[in-house]
Amino acid sequence: MVDAAAWPGAARTDLAGHSVGTLFFEDSTRTRSSFTLAAQRMGAHVVDCSGAGTSVSKGETIVDTALTIESMGVSALVVRCTPEDGVRAVADAVQCAVISAGAGAGEHPTQGLLDCLTIAREFDRDDAFDFSGLRLLIVGDLAHSRVAGSAVVGFTKLGGEVICCCPEEMTPGPPMASSLTIERDLDRVIQDVDIVMMLRIQMERGADPGSMNAYTKAYQLDARRAALMRDDAIVMHPGPMNREVEIASEVADGPRSRIWTQVRLGVPVRMAALLHCIQSTT
Ligand code: CP
């Protein structure tokens, strides 16, 4: 799908005649836009029913909204919501394919897939997708990050090692914590990894960094810390970034950054996800 995604318009016709509903009950730039482009690149139509302006504001539930759009005749629903079990509740209620676009602080599976694809292409692992020997460092608010949840699942399933670096109050709970090495000293651990993934502080999910000055001093990826990294190590960030908080602009825009590669690969990953899920259910 990577080559097809680079074409403007409908590069493929696999999903011609299908419609895809996008139901985003939380804000999104990357995921929502890339699912829309992905559906269009595959020849499908998109009906967007997201956020303000929907009957959710009148008290309609997420599941009833999903049933409403499904009744109009869609082959797949792409759902983002705040409850961690919200996407599962939709999937249990409808017959069409349901793809999670991020559920609360739980999982964000297509982000995990695009992160793995970015790493596989960067380190020439995209034939067998064998990540053995690769070390991924995830830094920041792991306690509230659905991106981390899916990155950990994907990266470890492919054979890589995940290390986390965060303050005590942002330490992930079980089950994620049980499979991870948790470090506190970023200057030390950053020197011995292949990929550094920075996370935004999820204020909307109750994260409390305490003193922001203390947080940025201990955990911001700035130019001094980036200089400690291995020569071939890369920097990732799922976005949206809070520049000068978890990452300095000179690193986000610098030569190690693969942030825009991640965004670009979101489209082909979501083309593949839509095709796989619609073919599996129709
Ligand atoms: N990475 C991510 O999910 O970004 P959006 O919230 O903009 O979709």
Side-chain angles (χ1 to χ4, degrees), residues 146-161:
R146 57 192 175 207
V147 170
S150 290
V152 169
V153 170
F155 197 82
T156 53
K157 195 175 180 74
L158 297 175
E161 181 188 355

PDB file of all heavy atoms in Angstrom, residues 146-161:
ATOM      1  N   ARG A 146      -2.357   5.673  25.121  1.00  0.00           N
ATOM      2  CA  ARG A 146      -2.812   4.528  24.322  1.00  0.00           C
ATOM      3  C   ARG A 146      -1.801   4.220  23.210  1.00  0.00           C
ATOM      4  O   ARG A 146      -1.706   3.084  22.751  1.00  0.00           O
ATOM      5  CB  ARG A 146      -4.188   4.817  23.730  1.00  0.00           C
ATOM      6  CG  ARG A 146      -4.261   6.058  22.868  1.00  0.00           C
ATOM      7  CD  ARG A 146      -5.704   6.413  22.576  1.00  0.00           C
ATOM      8  NE  ARG A 146      -5.861   7.652  21.845  1.00  0.00           N
ATOM      9  CZ  ARG A 146      -6.949   8.421  21.919  1.00  0.00           C
ATOM     10  NH1 ARG A 146      -7.949   8.084  22.696  1.00  0.00           N
ATOM     11  NH2 ARG A 146      -7.045   9.517  21.217  1.00  0.00           N
ATOM     12  N   VAL A 147      -1.056   5.253  22.765  1.00  0.00           N
ATOM     13  CA  VAL A 147      -0.008   5.020  21.766  1.00  0.00           C
ATOM     14  C   VAL A 147       1.038   4.068  22.325  1.00  0.00           C
ATOM     15  O   VAL A 147       1.443   3.097  21.659  1.00  0.00           O
ATOM     16  CB  VAL A 147       0.650   6.360  21.357  1.00  0.00           C
ATOM     17  CG1 VAL A 147       1.897   6.109  20.516  1.00  0.00           C
ATOM     18  CG2 VAL A 147      -0.334   7.226  20.605  1.00  0.00           C
ATOM     19  N   ALA A 148       1.448   4.313  23.564  1.00  0.00           N
ATOM     20  CA  ALA A 148       2.437   3.423  24.186  1.00  0.00           C
ATOM     21  C   ALA A 148       1.870   2.023  24.324  1.00  0.00           C
ATOM     22  O   ALA A 148       2.561   1.027  24.073  1.00  0.00           O
ATOM     23  CB  ALA A 148       2.848   3.974  25.550  1.00  0.00           C
ATOM     24  N   GLY A 149       0.593   1.940  24.709  1.00  0.00           N
ATOM     25  CA  GLY A 149      -0.034   0.629  24.861  1.00  0.00           C
ATOM     26  C   GLY A 149       0.105  -0.214  23.613  1.00  0.00           C
ATOM     27  O   GLY A 149       0.484  -1.394  23.677  1.00  0.00           O
ATOM     28  N   SER A 150      -0.169   0.383  22.456  1.00  0.00           N
ATOM     29  CA  SER A 150      -0.104  -0.388  21.215  1.00  0.00           C
ATOM     30  C   SER A 150       1.334  -0.538  20.709  1.00  0.00           C
ATOM     31  O   SER A 150       1.671  -1.562  20.118  1.00  0.00           O
ATOM     32  CB  SER A 150      -0.983   0.272  20.145  1.00  0.00           C
ATOM     33  OG  SER A 150      -2.340   0.092  20.502  1.00  0.00           O
ATOM     34  N   ALA A 151       2.182   0.454  20.934  1.00  0.00           N
ATOM     35  CA  ALA A 151       3.588   0.337  20.522  1.00  0.00           C
ATOM     36  C   ALA A 151       4.269  -0.818  21.252  1.00  0.00           C
ATOM     37  O   ALA A 151       5.028  -1.584  20.656  1.00  0.00           O
ATOM     38  CB  ALA A 151       4.336   1.645  20.773  1.00  0.00           C
ATOM     39  N   VAL A 152       3.989  -0.933  22.539  1.00  0.00           N
ATOM     40  CA  VAL A 152       4.599  -2.012  23.333  1.00  0.00           C
ATOM     41  C   VAL A 152       4.144  -3.371  22.807  1.00  0.00           C
ATOM     42  O   VAL A 152       4.955  -4.282  22.597  1.00  0.00           O
ATOM     43  CB  VAL A 152       4.245  -1.849  24.829  1.00  0.00           C
ATOM     44  CG1 VAL A 152       4.629  -3.096  25.614  1.00  0.00           C
ATOM     45  CG2 VAL A 152       4.933  -0.628  25.406  1.00  0.00           C
ATOM     46  N   VAL A 153       2.846  -3.514  22.555  1.00  0.00           N
ATOM     47  CA  VAL A 153       2.322  -4.790  22.046  1.00  0.00           C
ATOM     48  C   VAL A 153       2.982  -5.138  20.716  1.00  0.00           C
ATOM     49  O   VAL A 153       3.489  -6.250  20.512  1.00  0.00           O
ATOM     50  CB  VAL A 153       0.784  -4.727  21.875  1.00  0.00           C
ATOM     51  CG1 VAL A 153       0.277  -5.953  21.129  1.00  0.00           C
ATOM     52  CG2 VAL A 153       0.107  -4.625  23.230  1.00  0.00           C
ATOM     53  N   GLY A 154       2.989  -4.176  19.786  1.00  0.00           N
ATOM     54  CA  GLY A 154       3.516  -4.443  18.448  1.00  0.00           C
ATOM     55  C   GLY A 154       5.006  -4.720  18.452  1.00  0.00           C
ATOM     56  O   GLY A 154       5.482  -5.703  17.862  1.00  0.00           O
ATOM     57  N   PHE A 155       5.760  -3.860  19.132  1.00  0.00           N
ATOM     58  CA  PHE A 155       7.224  -3.961  19.090  1.00  0.00           C
ATOM     59  C   PHE A 155       7.711  -5.254  19.739  1.00  0.00           C
ATOM     60  O   PHE A 155       8.602  -5.929  19.217  1.00  0.00           O
ATOM     61  CB  PHE A 155       7.835  -2.740  19.789  1.00  0.00           C
ATOM     62  CG  PHE A 155       9.273  -2.514  19.478  1.00  0.00           C
ATOM     63  CD1 PHE A 155       9.656  -1.859  18.315  1.00  0.00           C
ATOM     64  CD2 PHE A 155      10.264  -2.950  20.339  1.00  0.00           C
ATOM     65  CE1 PHE A 155      10.995  -1.650  18.022  1.00  0.00           C
ATOM     66  CE2 PHE A 155      11.606  -2.744  20.057  1.00  0.00           C
ATOM     67  CZ  PHE A 155      11.967  -2.094  18.898  1.00  0.00           C
ATOM     68  N   THR A 156       7.101  -5.612  20.873  1.00  0.00           N
ATOM     69  CA  THR A 156       7.547  -6.844  21.549  1.00  0.00           C
ATOM     70  C   THR A 156       7.083  -8.085  20.788  1.00  0.00           C
ATOM     71  O   THR A 156       7.806  -9.079  20.734  1.00  0.00           O
ATOM     72  CB  THR A 156       7.051  -6.897  23.010  1.00  0.00           C
ATOM     73  OG1 THR A 156       5.644  -6.702  23.031  1.00  0.00           O
ATOM     74  CG2 THR A 156       7.704  -5.849  23.854  1.00  0.00           C
ATOM     75  N   LYS A 157       5.912  -8.027  20.167  1.00  0.00           N
ATOM     76  CA  LYS A 157       5.435  -9.177  19.381  1.00  0.00           C
ATOM     77  C   LYS A 157       6.400  -9.470  18.216  1.00  0.00           C
ATOM     78  O   LYS A 157       6.574 -10.622  17.822  1.00  0.00           O
ATOM     79  CB  LYS A 157       4.031  -8.889  18.846  1.00  0.00           C
ATOM     80  CG  LYS A 157       3.277 -10.110  18.340  1.00  0.00           C
ATOM     81  CD  LYS A 157       1.857  -9.717  17.942  1.00  0.00           C
ATOM     82  CE  LYS A 157       1.071 -10.902  17.438  1.00  0.00           C
ATOM     83  NZ  LYS A 157       0.656 -11.839  18.474  1.00  0.00           N
ATOM     84  N   LEU A 158       7.027  -8.412  17.696  1.00  0.00           N
ATOM     85  CA  LEU A 158       7.960  -8.581  16.580  1.00  0.00           C
ATOM     86  C   LEU A 158       9.380  -8.885  17.064  1.00  0.00           C
ATOM     87  O   LEU A 158      10.306  -8.958  16.262  1.00  0.00           O
ATOM     88  CB  LEU A 158       7.939  -7.336  15.689  1.00  0.00           C
ATOM     89  CG  LEU A 158       6.580  -7.074  15.012  1.00  0.00           C
ATOM     90  CD1 LEU A 158       6.589  -5.752  14.247  1.00  0.00           C
ATOM     91  CD2 LEU A 158       6.189  -8.203  14.075  1.00  0.00           C
ATOM     92  N   GLY A 159       9.563  -9.038  18.363  1.00  0.00           N
ATOM     93  CA  GLY A 159      10.851  -9.505  18.875  1.00  0.00           C
ATOM     94  C   GLY A 159      11.764  -8.447  19.425  1.00  0.00           C
ATOM     95  O   GLY A 159      12.896  -8.755  19.824  1.00  0.00           O
ATOM     96  N   GLY A 160      11.324  -7.178  19.455  1.00  0.00           N
ATOM     97  CA  GLY A 160      12.172  -6.111  19.981  1.00  0.00           C
ATOM     98  C   GLY A 160      12.055  -5.979  21.489  1.00  0.00           C
ATOM     99  O   GLY A 160      11.234  -6.629  22.126  1.00  0.00           O
ATOM    100  N   GLU A 161      12.922  -5.118  22.031  1.00  0.00           N
ATOM    101  CA  GLU A 161      12.915  -4.875  23.485  1.00  0.00           C
ATOM    102  C   GLU A 161      12.442  -3.446  23.743  1.00  0.00           C
ATOM    103  O   GLU A 161      12.895  -2.513  23.072  1.00  0.00           O
ATOM    104  CB  GLU A 161      14.334  -5.048  24.041  1.00  0.00           C
ATOM    105  CG  GLU A 161      14.435  -4.836  25.531  1.00  0.00           C
ATOM    106  CD  GLU A 161      15.878  -4.830  26.041  1.00  0.00           C
ATOM    107  OE1 GLU A 161      16.802  -5.096  25.240  1.00  0.00           O
ATOM    108  OE2 GLU A 161      16.072  -4.528  27.216  1.00  0.00           O
TER     109      GLU A 161
END
